[in-house]
Amino acid sequence: MDIQTITDKINYKTARVKKLQAEIKALETKKTQLENEEIINTVKSIDIPISELKNLLTSLKERNGEI
């Protein structure tokens, strides 16, 4: 194998890695978007005033021993 062949392989694989990294980033963005939509829909479905939402979340967090 000569230097040019190895260089070509490195360039090809580097390009593939960059493409895959971009695809992963797009998938992570989509996942975050879907998670956020799920959270929003859940909050809307419990039908409580926004002013009470913070208190509810705080009490749930305290009950789980995270504070």
Side-chain angles (χ1 to χ4, degrees), residues 4 8 23 54:
Q4 186 59 48
D8 291 344
E23 289 176 15
K54 182 177 179 184

Side-chain angles (χ1 to χ4, degrees), residues 37-55:
E37 288 174 10
E38 186 175 336
I39 291 167
I40 290 168
N41 290 335
T42 301
V43 169
K44 287 181 178 180
S45 74
I46 61 174
D47 195 29
I48 64 168
I50 296 294
S51 59
E52 293 180 26
L53 181 60
K54 182 177 179 184
N55 293 336

Side-chain angles (χ1 to χ4, degrees), residues 18-66:
K18 287 181 181 179
K19 180 182 177 192
L20 290 171
Q21 287 173 330
E23 289 176 15
I24 288 170
K25 185 173 182 175
L27 288 169
E28 287 172 341
T29 299
K30 183 64 176 174
K31 178 184 174 192
T32 299
Q33 178 187 4
L34 291 172
E35 288 172 341
N36 289 340
E37 288 174 10
E38 186 175 336
I39 291 167
I40 290 168
N41 290 335
T42 301
V43 169
K44 287 181 178 180
S45 74
I46 61 174
D47 195 29
I48 64 168
I50 296 294
S51 59
E52 293 180 26
L53 181 60
K54 182 177 179 184
N55 293 336
L56 173 65
L57 293 175
T58 301
S59 67
L60 289 172
K61 187 175 180 182
E62 287 172 351
R63 188 168 47 182
N64 287 331
E66 296 182 11

